[in-house]
Amino acid sequence: MKMKLKYGIRTGLAAVAAAVSVICCTDTWDEHYGADGSLAGSAGATLWDNLRQDEALRPFATVLDSCGYAPVLNGSQVFSVWAPQITEQEAAGWIAAYQEARAGNDGENPALHEFIRNHIALFNHQVWEQTDDTVRMMNGKRIALTSSSFGGEAMLGDKVPSSNGMLYKVAGTVPFYPNIWEQVRREATGGSDGLDSVEAFFRNWAYEVLDEGASVPGGIKDGKTEYLDSVMISYNTFFNSYGRIDSEDSLYWLLVPTNAEWEKIVERNRSFFVHHNDRLEAGDSLQDLYSKYMLLEASFFNARTQPGRNWNAENPDSICSTMYDARNYGYNCFERPFDEGGVLQGLTPVECSNGRLYKTAEWNVPLEKSSYMQTVKIEAENEQNWEYVNTTTSNTVVATRMKADAAYAGLVSGGEFLWVEDNNTRYNKRAQIIIKLPGNLSGCPYDIKVVFASPLVLGADYLEEAMLKRRVTASVNYHQSVSGGFKTTADNVCTNEEIDAMLMDTVTVAEGFNARVSGYSGYGFPVCAYGEEEARVQLTLQGILGANPPKGYASPLLIDCVLFVPRPDLIEEND
Amino acid sequence: MKRYRFYCLALLMAGALGAQAQEEAAADTLSAAARPANTIKKDVKTRPVSGRVCSVSSGTPLPGALVSVSGYEGYSTLTGEDGTYKFEVPEYATALQVAAPDHNTVRVGINKSGLLGDVILYSTMTRSKYGADDNIMNTVEADNFAYSPSLNITSEIGDQLGAYVRTISRGGTPGIGNYMMMHGINSLNANAQPLVVIDGVIVDQQYDRSVLHDGFYNDILTSFNVNEIKSVEVVSNGTALYGAKGANGVILIETKRNTSLATKIDATASVGITLLPKKLDMMNGAQYKTYASDLLQGTGTNITNFSFLSTDPKNYYYNKYNNNTDWGDVIYDEAFSQNYGITVQGGDDIASYFLALGYNGAHSVLNENDMNRLNIRFNTDINMFKRLFVRFDASYSNVTRNLKDQGAPEGYDEGTVTSLNFLGWAKSPMLSPYSYAAGQISTAAYDITDEDYLAQALSGMDNVNYQLANPAAINEYGTAQNKNYFENSYMNIAVTPKWEFNKHLYISSLFSYTLTNTADKYYVPINGVPAYYVSSLDLVRENEIRSMYASQNSITSDTKLVWENQYGAHSIDLMGGFRYMNDRYKVDTQLGYNTGSDKTPFINNTQNKQTTGASNRWTSITWYGQARYDYRKRYFVEGNLAVESSSRFGKEAKEGFKLGGVRWGVFPGIQAGWVLSNESWFDVPGVDYARFSMGFDVSGNDGIAYDATRTYFESILYQGWSNGLVLGNIGNTELQWETTRRFNFGADLNFLNNRLNVKLDVYKSWTDNLLTYHELNFLTGVENNWVNGGSLENKGFVLSFNAHLLAKRDWNWELGASVGRYKNKLTALPDGQQYVDTPVYGGTIRSEIGQPVNLFYGYKTGVTEQGTSVYATSREAAADGLFIKAENGDPIYFGAGDVKFVDKDGNHEINEEDMQVIGDPNPDIFGNIFTSVSWKRLRLDVNFNYSLGNDAYNYLRSQLEGGSRFMNQTVAMVNRWSYEGQATDMPKASWDDPMGNARFSDRWIEDASYLRLKSITLSYELPLNNAFIHGLTFWGQANNVFTVSKYLGQDPEFSMGNSVLEQGIDRGLLANSRNFMLGIKINL
């Protein structure tokens, strides 16, 4: 019995042990989760540790260490490093370069930007036999990667997987491929052929401002918030507006003049932007700003967003700047740029990582294609665009805003016009009005054209009125100098010019107008109003004088609009 | 003198046995329990029987043991000082029953000669191998809950009844209960858990009801204090008596009643501590940063400098992002629990009572998920008049909880993750739970700002919930009675008058009223929780508040007429009855977003408010009858019949019959038994008892959706703004119950002087009229409706044994085990379907004809040249040429670092056609193992349970090793593929998983077999002879001591829902953990 009992006990225990052994496997847990989650071999070491293990990479490691990248590659962020085999001398050179530019922006420190970050990419990039790709490096550059080469340099030895990325060894330094802005900076070498002027101009637009939202405010001291962590936003407002030639996100062409040409063009432009002294010291600044700013207005071309279909980069029919506006198609777009007289004629581009840099010693951008040379159109019916003539009888002149009949609204600019007449019945009765002409340039002749509306646009009831002709006498007044006001007496530009009231009649009251002021011998007006709200040019329009106009004529003037047309071509013709 | 002592002892014995008989008489009359005592018939022919009774404890003959005729009253004697007995028994008597104080009762068959061998009695320190009667239904019972720390009786069912009821823990939340199933899977879409009857009242377990908190189920059984429960009986066979509710088996629970004429006061107190659950090995801060840095590659960001990756200690954020937080430490704490109870019982001939008061306070190891429960029970038995007896029972329970979401979310589009324990895994370890200011991490205030370390890189990603909340802040700002708080109150009043016409005939009528009120308040705080996208609103919201109030009124009336008699060798019991049940369930829920402040958790000022609700009322009527007959306690036969109608049945149901305008289902059953050892010719050495039984039952499952037979409209909030009505369902008036026919065979055998007991229950069942979805034409505007169609089968067995390995005067050692096995097979589906796929948590559960109903159906991983499942090289991936198709139809090829999936159809495209069965959540075998060792009054009980051969879908791991989101991952992901040639089974990390490497595949299917040392209990009864204290028992218990398993989750035992299709899916609900209890019981 005892034997049976023992046998039973043994059997039971054996069964339990067997059941336990069947399902027991703590190794499964350890095998899956690992003892501590660490990886074996090089894969368990950081990039930095693995990099230091390779004797051939010591110089590169020295540069990294000297430039503060050791902790970065020894941290948790994942990188792919293509470590170049460089000499100790090269390493010393990079370290010196780093030290030299250390105080400045990291992005302009060549050791960091052009060397270290040109060999390190974020994330884990792998290669195999069929790899044919590009890798975006930490400096934003895309560098070609194949199974055996990186940026044209041969990859050597075995890749070294690391806990925080991949380590590759390359035969030598991978060349840095600058973008347009970096190329401009590179070519700011002084001399007449350099691009220092442009580079300086661009750099003036670089800003670094505090991002209050992202920054961490501390206490307030002396009424000002102190930030524990200041997040600065760096940007270039000019590039933001005209084209991000400082990034690798798109493909640009940039046309810039050499220093010598820059001086020449800017000097020429200065004559267009002579501001009145009432702008105080800003006048000079504006003149300087506009003369440079407007020069480069048509210099940025985005090769990916050209409006022409099937745009051919090698031989384009036209090339439009980033400021091109299809609604103003006459400006900032240039036909046949490589042909004779074209804006890019004869220029050899410098290929950059984000496009081409065209440097020219002969600025072929025609003035008439510049947006600041646009015709200014003044709608007469808008109250802010006119004023009564200040005479003793002016209070009898009435200017009425009239709305064209719907059937003819398309004929009238804005669908409305200004009806000017004098209610006086005396001898000096005369419809007259002053039209303010804003935004004029200085030093540039102007055509002044007045579009007179036909009474017929009010409907068939006005046929009789329309059959009466009008006459217009015009004079132009303007600021006679940078310090003076309007002239005492306006320059008469036309007298009793006939107007056919049966049609929308455009009358050129002045052609190629140049100021008639003693001491001023330039073109156009002596003072510009470009970018100003206030008009510095006035056009006075007068109808027939007298209570009883000649038979077949009528006194009222029906003014639709005034066209204020710059004529830079006349400058050139006379030059 | 010796003789005098002997007679005194015999007198005491008789008194004790009388009390025992009274206790048995109180048992449910549906079971084969006590019968009214027969008058001794003088004209019965008798014959002498003789033998000897020995106590195995002392190894000597046992004087004073009561020897009586088994099954027939009126024939008994006491053993003499030499342990011998001799008395006359009726000729038809076939067995004797032997009982003695401190010993378990034993039965012994009477042979032809009447000269019986020695009967060995075992100490009550071991389990009894004989029930009160010959158990032809093969029911099993558990009744030892003296030291139970369980807050829910289902835990004890699992521990003590092993393979008879497959219980699966829902997790470690106090009192969350267990999923139960008996005899396989008997339904596909309807409830498959057994019917629970408490004191004759069918309890609606609200299996299909939901609460607001994710991962929580309101188990109604938690309303019952385990210490108030006398016994749990598992009824696998003969379930026809329960008509359309019995197909999944029945669990009969009896609460305690008075058993003594003297007043008895028992006080219990226990305290315990629960340790932290098993931890997954998660990445540390540095490892996570590398992972996150890796993952950024797929986000398309061009940023090169990230604050959280800075290695410069001078960086302002360096301290913020250079922590190594174990978020488990933040959300978990060892939990203290305390249980107090007092019972008072007593009475006289007229009335007796049992009063119980109990309080349980259980902290959860998951902070701010505590539970408190108050129980009051008052059970009385009143002899109103000579023949009128009344039972009046009243009970009330109130359960309150602080509650939070648990488990991995099913998706990330409908809100942010608010599950505490999931955040404990997924939250980045580099972050601190405390606020960061002035370059320093606070030690006092939690971080309430939105997680922002990805803001730089992902700022352009709208409507992607990539930020994770601070779980500490959720607890800090989301814990309050008007925020995340749950309350369930349960009240029951039951009156059962019983009129005895004579000693053979009585009528009794049970009337029960139950009120179950459930209130759940849910709140997502603003502080510490990021604003999140809600896809159903297509809006980004700041926070939300929800509330639910549900109330269920249940009325049960159960009237039955019982007649019982014996005619010599013939025993006949007849019973007929009528049961009426009426339930009304009302629920209202509200939801609103943007409360404005955590100090104003009110729904009235919120935005996008939604109010929903339901009012369900259903009724069922059952006529039932039972007839039993046995001859000489050798041959037994029992017939059951139930006829049931329910308002949930369609009026045009095809089966059953129509009467009174409603459809009635008919559920017959028959059981037969043969006690072989009661045959006079049976005299097999070593076999002490042998019983065989078999039967066939037809029972039903009325778990039909409340409104499935009706066509109705339902309200919707159109585009989040306008209320409207749409067709909600097209009712199927032919809908009916599921019908299960079950054949069973059972055996109960005792060997080796009753040292060894073996029980066997073999069954095969066929279930027809499965409730399944029927796809409707799109013109109807309704996707599908319910139909009866499809069939399934189950076959299996339950085998248990219990052995007394050591039985000495002071020492006893007992060992037992049970083994359960079932094999489920779907045999038919409606509409010519071969299978039904059900999406659950990113996986597909396939129910296919010829297979079990709940198989995991997904992708298989292949084997690469390196023997791994992940392509080590681009060359190999390119050679294989596997691809998926992009939305535009273009192929996207798998590359190095991607998982190699099996291309089943060989077309190189990995799509749904390549899915196959990848796992089976059903175990090969399951059950329990127990052993008890006692020395004098010191006793050690050890319980194991196990499950072998069951697969699990480790959904939690799929989220923590998916490598596609900015969530912390397990350390296994450190070994993710990261370079050409790397041989690993962990694919590369890739944001949003474009190749579907984390798709539902055998990567997440694991063997969840386990063997668990469930409990160790050491108890000691202090011998006392004091006028004030009659007994003092001390005990200590350890639960969930250890688990042996290959499973890679926290706990291989889990159940995330009440559907059979949700079993075997581990979504990371709070896992069970070690618990230690110390308790004392004082008898006054």
Side-chain angles (χ1 to χ4, degrees), chain B residues 874-889:
Chain B
S874 300
R875 181 195 51 73
E876 185 184 357
D880 281 357
L882 301 181
F883 65 90
I884 58 172
K885 277 189 176 172
E887 286 184 5
N888 63 2

Side-chain angles (χ1 to χ4, degrees), chain B residues 712-759:
Chain B
Y712 58 84
F713 284 81
E714 62 187 10
S715 67
I716 60 160
L717 195 62
Y718 180 68
Q719 293 193 339
W721 297 107
S722 304
N723 285 304
L725 288 176
V726 296
L727 188 63
N729 184 50
I730 296 178
N732 178 1
T733 56
E734 295 184 346
L735 211 57
Q736 66 161 78
W737 58 94
E738 296 180 342
T739 308
T740 296
R741 294 166 290 134
R742 181 178 292 116
F743 167 81
N744 66 280
F745 170 80
D748 190 355
L749 305 165
N750 287 347
F751 304 100
L752 307 172
N753 284 328
N754 293 308
R755 276 185 181 271
L756 176 66
N757 169 253
V758 177
K759 283 189 173 71

